[in-house]
């Protein structure tokens, strides 16, 4: 059955590429997806799946029941794009100004649609149910996953799997993990209120830029001196705004940044430490500082046995040449929400073209990937589904 599934996927690879390129040309931003979910729903409906639209907002869920009863396996793909002007010179480049698929979500969608087609072709041999979760708004918090879950996309699901095409890793490589894989991705804002004045008379002012600079430097001491060195924490600033004339001392400064952690206890401690430092510095200058903290996606923690299942299946898939344990990464992924509700695992499928020396990273205007990686990913997800049918039936 697995060999037949691989054969069908290979026969339909040209369609997979065609679907991906169509989606690449017609990207839609997070929470603004209109035509993409229609396209996905129609594709599944034409296969004969039970289709639900507008799940959690703009999500699509399609269900395929095998001929025989068994466990329910969910497979997830995201389909939103990014607010980036594409710089690739491709015949299928984005037709939407300022919007492009710069993270591979077009490939995730195409590989899952064609996997659905392949599984339909062998559904009489399937002993279980497959739920295809097509998720909107992965790129922009609060994300689409949490609302799709609230809307019931995981009802009856025993296990879930997902993969990300990883263009910075070689084609034919899989990176799996049995625990913490991706970090909680939070955002914060700090607004410093001082007292402006003439640049020649700083002693009459409460310099918001100086105070903000002290805050930037001091918050890094939380990472190096307030947190256990064995716990991973990142505090990064991405914006510092206090625009004035060259000879005017600012009375207001706005700072923005991100915090990345893996442990919820560490996360909460960092928030408290930040507030202490920010308030203390502002008060020492006779100023005030407003601190707003927004928790984003939680850390993505794979379930151990399901992570091991990814490893086992990858090692036994002929097109996969290298299987590597993935170190935790500080990027965020709202697949984490699914794993808080059901068992499952998320993994990376290498998608770097063989002749590439220095690939453009994800979210870059020239991002692209080797389309053969979609075939690898579809085979892996299909094999995982069939293997999980057997494993969870016994379990």
């Amino acid at each position: 059955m697995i060999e037949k599934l691989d054969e069908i996927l290979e026969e339909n690879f040209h369609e997979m590429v065609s679907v991906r390129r169509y989606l690449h040309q017609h990207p839609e931003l997070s929470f603004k997806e209109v035509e993409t979910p229609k396209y996905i729903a129609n594709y599944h409906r034409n296969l004969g799946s039970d289709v639900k639209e507008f799940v959690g907002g703009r999500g699509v869920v399609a269900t395929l029941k095998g001929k025989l009863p068994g466990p329910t396996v969910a497979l997830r793909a995201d389909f939103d794009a990014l607010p980036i002007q594409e710089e690739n010179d491709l015949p299928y480049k984005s037709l939407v100004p300022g919007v492009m698929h710069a993270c591979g979500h077009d490939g995730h969608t195409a590989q899952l649609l064609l996997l659905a087609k392949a599984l339909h072709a062998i559904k009489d041999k399937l002993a279980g149910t497959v739920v295809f979760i097509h998720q909107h708004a992965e790129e922009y918090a609060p994300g689409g996953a949490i609302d799709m879950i609230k809307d019931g996309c995981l009802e009856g699901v025993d296990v879930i799997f997902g993969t990300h095409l990883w263009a910075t890793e070689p084609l034919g490589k899989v990176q799996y993990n049995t625990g913490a894989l991706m970090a909680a991705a939070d955002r914060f804002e700090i607004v410093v209120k001082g007292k402006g004045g003439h640049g020649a008379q700083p002693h009459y002012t409460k310099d918001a830029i100086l105070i903000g600079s002290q805050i930037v430097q001091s918050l890094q001491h939380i990472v190096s001196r307030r947190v256990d060195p064995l716990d991973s924490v990142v505090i990064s600033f991405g914006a510092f705004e206090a625009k004035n004339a060259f000879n005017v001392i600012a009375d207001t400064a706005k700072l923005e940044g991100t915090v990345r952690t893996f442990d919820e206890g560490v996360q909460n401690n960092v928030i408290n430490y930040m507030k202490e430092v920010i308030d203390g510095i502002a008060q020492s200058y006779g100023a005030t500082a407003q601190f707003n903290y927004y928790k984003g996606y939680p850390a993505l923690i794979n379930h151990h046995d399901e992570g091991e299942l990814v490893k086992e299946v990858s090692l036994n898939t002929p097109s996969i040449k290298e299987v590597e344990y993935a170190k935790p990464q500080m990027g965020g992924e709202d697949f984490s929400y699914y794993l808080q509700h059901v068992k499952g695992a998320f993994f990376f499928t290498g998608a770097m073209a063989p002749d590439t020396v220095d690939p453009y990273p994800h979210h870059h205007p020239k991002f692209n990937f080797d389309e053969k990686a979609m075939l690898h990913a579809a085979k892996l997800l299909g094999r995982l589904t069939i293997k999980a049918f057997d494993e969870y039936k016994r379990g």
Side-chain angles (χ1 to χ4, degrees):
M1 180 165 53
I2 288 177
E3 290 75 14
K4 182 62 176 177
L5 181 67
D6 286 356
E7 179 184 327
I8 296 169
L9 286 169
E10 289 170 3
E11 289 174 352
N12 288 278
F13 178 58
H14 66 285
E15 183 182 355
M16 190 182 295
V17 171
S18 178
V19 169
R20 181 259 165 158
R21 293 184 178 187
Y22 171 82
L23 294 171
H24 192 87
Q25 286 185 297
H26 302 89
E28 295 182 302
L29 294 172
S30 304
F31 296 108
K32 297 180 180 179
E33 308 95 335
V34 176
E35 297 303 322
T36 307
K38 288 181 184 178
Y39 180 93
I40 292 168
N42 288 336
Y43 192 97
H44 278 289
R45 197 172 283 115
N46 289 334
L47 292 176
S49 293
D50 176 39
V51 179
K52 293 181 180 179
E53 298 182 72
F54 308 106
V55 180
R58 300 179 185 271
V60 179
V61 175
T63 303
L64 164 63
K65 291 186 178 181
K67 184 176 182 179
L68 302 173
T72 297
V73 178
L75 304 173
R76 176 270 208 168
D78 39 20
F79 59 77
D80 55 325
L82 287 155
I84 297 173
Q85 179 63 45
E86 182 163 15
E87 295 179 3
N88 289 313
D89 185 16
L90 299 167
Y92 56 90
K93 70 182 297 182
S94 172
L95 298 176
V96 183
V99 183
M100 76 170 286
H101 275 291
C103 201
H105 295 187
D106 48 347
H108 299 168
T109 302
Q111 68 202 25
L112 196 60
L113 289 176
L114 270 296
L115 175 57
K117 182 177 183 178
L119 288 171
H120 267 277
I122 60 170
K123 67 179 180 180
D124 287 348
K125 297 181 180 179
L126 297 180
T129 298
V130 188
V131 176
F132 302 94
I133 298 175
H134 290 273
Q135 184 202 308
H136 61 298
E138 185 277 330
E139 295 286 5
Y140 194 82
I146 191 168
D147 285 332
M148 290 191 72
I149 293 167
K150 289 177 182 177
D151 208 5
C153 75
L154 291 180
E155 288 181 6
V157 170
D158 295 295
V159 63
I160 187 169
F161 296 102
T163 188
H164 202 305
L165 298 177
W166 217 237
T168 54
E169 293 295 332
L171 184 71
K173 181 177 182 178
V174 167
Q175 292 182 313
Y176 77 99
N177 177 286
T178 57
L181 179 61
M182 303 186 80
D186 301 338
R187 179 172 68 89
F188 64 84
E189 298 175 345
I190 305 166
V191 179
V192 177
K193 292 284 189 179
K195 180 182 178 182
H198 199 293
Q201 297 177 318
H203 53 297
Y204 291 130
T205 72
K206 297 171 183 177
D207 188 343
I209 292 179
L210 176 63
I211 297 167
S213 299
Q214 291 278 9
I215 289 172
V216 170
Q217 293 193 28
S218 296
L219 287 184
Q220 299 305 318
H221 297 164
I222 292 175
V223 177
S224 64
R225 289 297 179 268
R226 300 292 296 273
V227 177
D228 188 325
L230 298 180
D231 292 322
S232 299
V233 177
V234 168
I235 300 177
S236 295
F237 285 85
F240 192 141
E241 299 177 0
K243 188 173 182 179
N244 284 290
F246 77 95
N247 59 347
V248 176
I249 290 176
D251 63 352
T252 302
K254 183 178 180 181
L255 298 78
E256 295 181 272
T258 185
V259 174
R260 305 297 170 110
T261 55
F262 288 103
D263 181 88
E264 187 175 6
V266 172
Q267 178 191 47
N268 290 329
N269 285 339
V270 168
I271 296 171
N272 292 331
Y273 294 153
M274 291 179 71
K275 181 171 176 51
E276 290 176 9
V277 171
I278 293 165
D279 287 345
I281 292 174
Q283 289 172 14
S284 71
Y285 283 92
T288 62
Q290 180 181 342
F291 175 47
N292 298 317
Y293 194 97
Y294 307 94
K295 288 187 177 181
Y297 304 154
L300 192 158
I301 312 295
N302 281 328
H303 294 261
H304 181 273
D305 290 349
E306 286 65 34
E308 286 291 340
L309 193 62
V310 171
K311 175 185 177 182
E312 178 186 342
V313 168
S314 299
L315 288 171
N316 287 285
T317 300
S319 59
I320 302 304
K321 306 304 180 184
E322 182 180 0
V323 180
E324 176 183 81
Y325 190 85
K327 295 180 180 179
Q329 302 199 18
M330 285 300 183
E333 228 306 338
D334 74 345
F335 191 87
S336 56
Y337 286 117
Y338 301 111
L339 297 178
Q340 291 182 336
H341 290 80
V342 297
K343 293 181 178 180
F346 192 74
F347 60 98
F348 300 127
T349 301
M352 182 171 65
D355 57 348
T356 302
V357 177
D358 187 18
Y360 290 104
H362 295 249
H363 294 208
H364 190 280
K366 290 188 177 181
F367 170 84
N368 206 352
F369 61 86
D370 192 317
E371 291 173 322
K372 293 177 183 176
M374 297 189 296
L375 185 58
H376 294 174
K379 287 181 178 180
L380 287 165
L381 291 172
R383 287 166 174 254
L384 277 167
T385 299
I386 294 169
K387 184 69 174 177
F389 283 162
D390 187 45
E391 292 287 325
Y392 282 81
K393 186 175 182 179
R394 291 204 306 265

